[in-house]
Amino acid sequence: MIVAKHRILQAYVVTYAPGKANAARCREVAEKLGIDAETVAQIVNETVGEQ
């Protein structure tokens, strides 16, 4: 499935909770959007590196 990068990042932001691990957030986003958690992690890491 093709999902827009901004859609993944929006879903990632919504999953924020104090003390919640990034891996758990990536898995949650992946399940919601029907994509691979590694893909979510890669996109998040690329975007954080751009800031």
Side-chain angles (χ1 to χ4, degrees), residues 9-20:
L9 295 172
Q10 285 175 338
Y12 184 78
V13 169
V14 171
T15 63
Y16 175 78
K20 191 172 193 179

Side-chain angles (χ1 to χ4, degrees), residues 10-43:
Q10 285 175 338
Y12 184 78
V13 169
V14 171
T15 63
Y16 175 78
K20 191 172 193 179
N22 286 341
R25 292 173 69 188
C26 289
R27 282 192 304 272
E28 186 176 338
V29 170
E31 288 175 12
K32 285 182 181 180
L33 299 178
I35 59 175
D36 185 45
E38 290 179 18
T39 302
V40 174
Q42 181 181 7
I43 289 172

